[in-house]
Every structure is written in C-alpha cells, then in structure tokens.
Amino acid sequence: MDENTNSSDDRVTDPFLADDAEQWNDPDELDNLCALSPVVASIMRMQSLEMDGDFPDDPREAAADLSAFASNGIIGMGGLDGPCFLWNHMIADIATMDDARRTDSPVAPPEDAARVMDTPIRWYLDACESSPDADAETHTPPVFHMDTQVLAGVDAVVGNALSSTHWLDATRNLALALDTTIDFIGSVNDDNNEVFDYLLHLIQQIRLYMTSVAEHADTITSIQAMAVLVEAACDGPMLLNPVQLMLLVSCGLPFAKWDDTRVIAYDALARVTRAMKELSREADQDPTNPMVITRAGETLTFRDCVTRAQMRFTKAALLLKHDLLRMAGDDDQADAMLLDHPAMAPLADAYAARLLSQDKWDELRRFSALMEHDHPDMDPLLFPPDLVPLGWASIQDMALAECGSFDELSARYRRRVIASGPKSDDPHLITVLRSISGPQWPRQVELIVHEFEAEDGCGMRGSRNGLYERILIDNHLCEPAWRYANRHPGAKLTLAPVFARTHPQEARATILGRAGLADDSLQGLSDGTISDGTIIRAMRRYYHAFGKKEARDLAERMLPRSGTRARLCQWLAGFVNSGKD
C-alpha cells in the first residue's frame, strides 16, 4: 500500500474499489451483483423484456407462471438441482468447446511472459509523462483507450496460456497477466473503465480455463494451480474489491464436484477469508489511516474502505459457500443456508425458487408469510414484477391458492380493497376476488361492506375509497352507498345514482343542484357561470339514476328555455327525440 501513497497529501489512489452501495436493492449494488452472478445477470436481462399478457385474474394461473419461471430460469440456468449464483451451466459447456482447441504445447517461461507484457506498457507510461494532454498540476495522465494496444502483450501471454494443456505453467502465466493488468489500472487514467472491463473479461477467461483444469488435471496439479490463483487473489488491491475477488475465488467451484478435489475449493475460500481478516486487522492498527480516492470519486479513510470491503466480501462469500454446497450435491445443506438468510434478497428469492421447483406450496406459504411479516420493505429481486406485482404478498397469494386456503386468500383481498385510497380505481383486485369467490361473491360483498363500515364508522378512515365506491355502484348497494356518502360528502354526486332508489329526493338534489336544475325555476339555464357541459353531465347522471321517462320529461321542460345555449339545445333535442343519450 505504501507504493500507492502520495507523500504530498497522504492520499492513496485505489482504482480497485467498487462503487456499489450497501444493499442489493440499490442500483449500483445490483450492478455489482450482476457482475458477480451470471445467473442474476441473465435474470435481470429477462426482466427487462416485456412480459406477454396481463397478470392472471386467477392466482392459480399466476402460480403456474411463477413455477415455470423458477424452474426454467432461476434453477435452470445453474444446470443443477437447485439454484446457483456464481455457477452457470454454460461455463462448463464453453470450457468443453475450448478444450477442443487446446494442444499439448509449452507456454512461455514466466520471465519471457513478463517481458512481453511489460514492454508496451512501459513505452505507454513513458509517453504519457511527456504527453501534452496530461494535467501538469495533478499529474493526471490522459484517459486511456484500449485501441492503443498497450495490453497486446497481455493478450499474447493469455492467448498462449489458454491454448495449452500444460495446466500449471499456463495458470502461472494467467496469474502473472492478472497481476500485470491490476498494476496497470493503478497507473493510468481509466475514467472510461476500459481496463477495468478488460480485467473482468480476463477473470472470466481464467474461470473457463480453471474449469478445464478441474476436469482434466491430476489432483496435485489442481492443488498447485488453484494455489497460484489464490495468491493473486490475496494481493492488496484485489482484497479491496469483493466482486473481482470472489469471481477469481469461484474458479474453485468446478473442483467441488468430486470428493478428492473438493477441499481445493474450500481451502481457496478459507485462505482468502483469512487474508481479508488480516487486512482488516492491519487497517485497524494503522495509526496513519491514509485517505483513499475510490473509483467513484469518493474520499474515504483506508480503514473505512477496508470495513466496507469486508462487509461486501462477507455477503459475496455467502453466495460462493452456497454454490459450493450445491456443486457438491449437498442440496439439503444449501437449502438450509438459504433459509438461514432471509434478509438477503437473492438468497430468499433462491429459496422460494427452490420450493417452487419442488411444488412445496405449503412450505412456500409459510416462508412467504415470514418474508411478508419480517421484511415488509424487501421486494423479490429475482422474480419479475410482472409475475409478482405485490412482491412477497403475491407469492403468498399464489401459495394460498395452491394450498386451497381460499378463505384466507379472500380475506387478504378484502383487506386490500378496504385499505385502498381515493384514487384506487384499478378493478384488478375486485376481479381477482370475484374470480376466487365464485358463487360466494355476494357473501364477499357483504363482508366487505361489514368490515369497511366497522372501520369507517369508527373514524379509522379519513378519505374516500375508490374501489369500495366501485363495489357499491356495481352491486347497487343503496343503503351502504347512502351511509358512505353521508360520511364522505365528496362522494355524493358519484353515488347518487346508487342511493336514488331509496333516497330519491336527496339524489335529485345532489345530481341537479350543481347544474342549477333542482327546482322548477331551472335557473341554471340562465346562469352564465354554469357551462353546457356541466348541465349535460347532470342530465346523463339523472337519466342513469331515474330512468328514461323522467329524464326525458325534464329535458322537454328545459328545451324551450335553452335557446341561447346552442350546444345544450342540440343535445336536449336529440335526447328528447331519441329518448336516450
């Protein structure tokens, strides 16, 4: 770390710190999770596509869609019996294709490989020092661009290593290329993240190669090759970036498939974990605690950087530990690990997907209830919003439907209707409730009225409820509509056609009063402040409340007195002649 310290202001420029946030539901943190997990990345791309059709009215249909997504998407991408995060079946498939191109040819000796890589880099850095584009005050070099071919030597060494079946020698050169690239990032202005992206690609190439090492090399060679990578992973800058660190350590995943090499994978994670703890200890004991400039432009103390890296490493290590269990075929232990961490969105989602793939609806009902109660603000990360529009509540609804718990499911939907606000006019909640109620729908309406009035009458509600008003209108509930309108005067005009049958005088006054037509004087026709549109709307509402004959009689009385209102006069004449709107 001393070599990166600027003596003038005791600041460290660490290009390796990831610019993620504290939670995986934060956009930046989600980006890092996608970089770490090919499965999550694929699911996020799937979610960006528009889903076909609307959310089903029957939760049982929605449950079938969710099960298919869990089995074919979340579970299927790993290629194992359960979900994975860092492993993808395509890794093994691509490694197999690469094997066909490998030959039993030697790789360049390490000293030759280092010279091939270092020469163009040294030329570039020397040129940057004298470049007119460099900032003379801050000594910031020009922004780096890959088309300068500075990393052509790294490409050559990597290509030579990847083409060889001399597994240990090739891995040494790949680790050397990794170290060279990391050092280069710290020496250039990588504002466009071109070298950083190159590093990610290099790590992915190493993962593919190590998959072949696990498949073909003997145990001793595998142990030595993985040890070389772990040594590179324990380098200071790598420890400060858990995403790239864990991607590199995940090279041990394919070794976990076999009993005789499984220890290689677990030892790699254990060694990196010890290195992280040692770094944290050193940071805590460092009296200088220098400042660090992160890739995102933040200025933090080195101790804060290490603390944040440790926290992110712990989360990333959980994903790797889970995948190690899954690769070893220990699905019960992997499932238990998921269940032990419901507060971490990817792990909770993976457990739900596992239950869905096994049709364990009763267990999913209990788990989703736990998530809904204990983590009400945490939305599923791996399931598209189109499949779970209410988050874990949607998953709970589907589980209840599949378990046949329709009384409980109906109660949940009634609660949502009753809890709706004045602008809640989406009929989907009512449509679903009607669908699951079947012939019991009239009883559901009675319960909604009873439960709503129990709250509304006690003053527990201070605003109107758009969905409840829709139920009153659609089911012609005269007396409940009258009581509601008296508690919420703003709803009187909307509900007047409903309570007109039992309270006709009040309905007439409500409908015609605003248009100035409530008495025989019809003074609204001569009132210039009342528009033709207002009068026409009142007549339409009056027609729906009191029928064609009474509305036409009123229109016939209005027509002779509407001569100065051309639009209204035309509408009234048409209404009188047709007897309808």
Side-chain angles (χ1 to χ4, degrees):
M1 191 56 62
D2 293 339
E3 66 186 63
N4 293 324
T5 303
N6 187 315
S7 58
S8 61
D9 58 1
D10 198 30
R11 294 158 68 90
V12 176
T13 300
D14 181 1
F16 243 98
L17 286 175
D19 54 349
D20 50 4
E22 298 299 331
Q23 300 295 329
W24 271 321
N25 58 0
D26 182 282
D28 287 337
E29 181 93 9
L30 180 58
D31 287 345
N32 276 351
L33 178 60
C34 289
L36 178 64
S37 170
V39 175
V40 175
S42 297
I43 291 172
M44 291 299 109
R45 285 194 293 271
M46 291 171 61
Q47 291 190 20
S48 67
L49 303 176
E50 291 189 8
M51 305 290 289
D52 294 331
D54 298 324
F55 187 75
D57 293 335
D58 190 333
R60 288 164 293 193
E61 295 180 21
D65 293 341
L66 191 67
S67 291
F69 182 84
S71 298
N72 301 328
I74 299 175
I75 304 293
M77 288 181 187
L80 303 175
D81 291 337
C84 289
F85 297 103
L86 282 78
W87 181 257
N88 187 315
H89 68 87
M90 293 183 64
I91 296 174
D93 295 342
I94 297 173
T96 299
M97 290 188 289
D98 289 345
D99 285 342
R101 295 189 289 269
R102 302 193 213 280
T103 61
D104 183 19
S105 56
V107 298
E111 58 275 11
D112 291 344
R115 184 173 59 256
V116 169
M117 292 187 291
D118 291 344
T119 300
I121 290 176
R122 189 165 55 253
W123 289 344
Y124 175 82
L125 295 178
D126 290 344
C128 284
E129 291 183 2
S130 58
S131 171
D133 295 328
D135 191 318
E137 294 184 2
T138 63
H139 303 287
T140 302
V143 176
F144 174 79
H145 296 287
M146 287 297 297
D147 56 13
T148 57
Q149 299 297 311
V150 177
L151 296 177
V154 178
D155 286 337
V157 170
V158 170
N160 174 245
L162 295 178
S163 66
S164 174
T165 58
H166 289 214
W167 306 113
L168 181 56
D169 292 339
T171 303
R172 287 197 180 101
N173 279 2
L174 289 174
L176 189 59
L178 185 70
D179 288 338
T180 300
T181 305
I182 292 171
D183 291 341
F184 183 63
I185 292 178
S187 304
V188 298
N189 182 355
D190 191 34
D191 284 352
N192 294 335
N193 285 331
E194 293 190 33
V195 188
F196 202 66
D197 292 340
Y198 179 90
L199 175 65
L200 284 173
H201 178 65
L202 174 58
I203 293 175
Q204 295 294 3
Q205 288 180 298
I206 294 174
R207 289 191 70 190
L208 293 171
Y209 190 79
M210 293 305 292
T211 301
S212 294
V213 172
E215 188 73 29
H216 303 295
D218 60 75
T219 302
I220 298 300
T221 300
S222 296
I223 293 173
Q224 293 173 330
M226 195 64 201
V228 170
L229 286 184
V230 170
E231 185 176 353
C234 291
D235 182 62
M238 285 294 287
L239 291 177
L240 288 173
N241 193 312
V243 172
Q244 280 65 43
L245 174 65
M246 203 52 61
L247 281 174
L248 196 59
V249 180
S250 70
C251 290
L253 276 172
F255 295 101
K257 292 192 295 183
W258 298 285
D259 294 340
D260 59 339
T261 57
R262 190 167 302 142
V263 67
I264 297 175
Y266 281 98
D267 181 66
L269 179 58
R271 288 180 60 188
V272 174
T273 301
R274 288 194 298 270
M276 278 297 302
K277 290 180 179 179
E278 178 63 20
L279 181 64
S280 297
R281 187 188 64 79
E282 292 176 359
D284 289 339
Q285 295 178 355
D286 186 354
T288 62
N289 195 22
M291 301 304 293
V292 175
I293 304 174
T294 71
R295 289 180 57 81
E298 298 175 280
T299 300
L300 303 172
T301 67
F302 176 60
R303 189 175 300 131
D304 288 341
C305 290
V306 173
T307 300
R308 186 165 68 174
Q310 175 70 64
M311 179 192 66
R312 293 168 180 167
F313 171 82
T314 301
K315 291 195 296 184
L318 280 174
L319 303 184
L320 180 57
K321 289 177 182 177
H322 167 269
D323 283 12
L324 286 172
L325 291 170
R326 201 69 76 181
M327 290 289 287
D330 198 346
D331 289 307
D332 290 342
Q333 285 294 321
D335 292 343
M337 182 178 175
L338 296 177
L339 186 57
D340 287 342
H341 296 86
M344 298 179 66
L347 275 66
D349 296 358
Y351 186 68
R354 173 71 165 157
L355 296 178
L356 283 163
S357 69
Q358 297 174 305
D359 288 329
K360 292 184 176 180
W361 290 103
D362 194 52
E363 291 186 36
L364 181 60
R365 176 184 62 81
R366 291 193 294 270
F367 180 68
S368 56
L370 170 75
M371 294 301 299
E372 200 176 4
H373 181 270
D374 293 353
H375 308 283
D377 298 326
M378 191 173 83
D379 292 324
L381 183 68
L382 303 184
F383 295 104
D386 289 336
L387 290 181
V388 288
L390 300 178
W392 284 101
S394 290
I395 298 176
Q396 171 77 337
D397 292 346
M398 298 175 207
L400 288 170
E402 288 294 323
C403 291
S405 303
F406 289 103
D407 288 344
E408 184 177 351
L409 181 59
S410 298
R412 288 167 62 83
Y413 272 89
R414 290 200 307 272
R415 168 49 44 195
R416 289 170 193 157
V417 170
I418 292 170
S420 297
K423 296 183 180 180
S424 300
D425 57 357
D426 183 0
H428 182 70
L429 285 178
I430 299 174
T431 303
V432 174
L433 180 55
R434 191 162 195 157
S435 173
I436 62 180
S437 300
Q440 296 299 315
W441 172 242
R443 175 58 179 161
Q444 291 297 333
V445 173
E446 291 177 9
L447 289 171
I448 289 173
V449 171
H450 175 74
E451 293 168 4
F452 182 88
E453 290 190 339
E455 290 188 9
D456 204 31
C458 295
M460 296 172 64
R461 296 190 57 85
S463 61
R464 293 170 59 181
N465 184 314
L467 289 182
Y468 184 70
E469 292 174 16
R470 178 181 287 273
I471 288 176
L472 295 175
I473 294 169
D474 291 347
N475 294 276
H476 311 291
L477 303 178
C478 304
E479 285 303 320
W482 173 247
R483 293 192 294 269
Y484 178 90
N486 280 305
R487 287 192 297 268
H488 303 279
K492 273 194 173 183
L493 187 61
T494 300
L495 296 178
V498 181
F499 61 74
R501 185 160 57 87
T502 54
H503 300 81
Q505 294 304 321
E506 291 84 353
R508 286 189 182 92
T510 299
I511 294 172
L512 299 178
R514 296 187 182 185
L517 306 175
D519 54 38
D520 292 339
S521 67
L522 303 178
Q523 56 85 22
L525 296 176
S526 57
D527 188 339
T529 62
I530 300 177
S531 67
D532 289 359
T534 299
I535 297 174
I536 291 171
R537 285 191 294 273
M539 287 299 296
R540 286 172 173 161
R541 187 172 275 111
Y542 192 75
Y543 163 69
H544 288 298
F546 294 98
K548 176 173 61 177
K549 183 180 182 305
E550 189 167 334
R552 184 163 54 189
D553 290 345
L554 178 58
E556 288 176 345
R557 288 193 292 118
M558 293 170 58
L559 188 57
R561 302 172 61 175
S562 304
T564 59
R565 293 176 175 267
R567 178 187 171 199
L568 176 61
C569 194
Q570 181 181 6
W571 186 90
L572 289 171
F575 182 75
V576 168
N577 292 331
S578 65
K580 60 183 179 180
D581 187 354

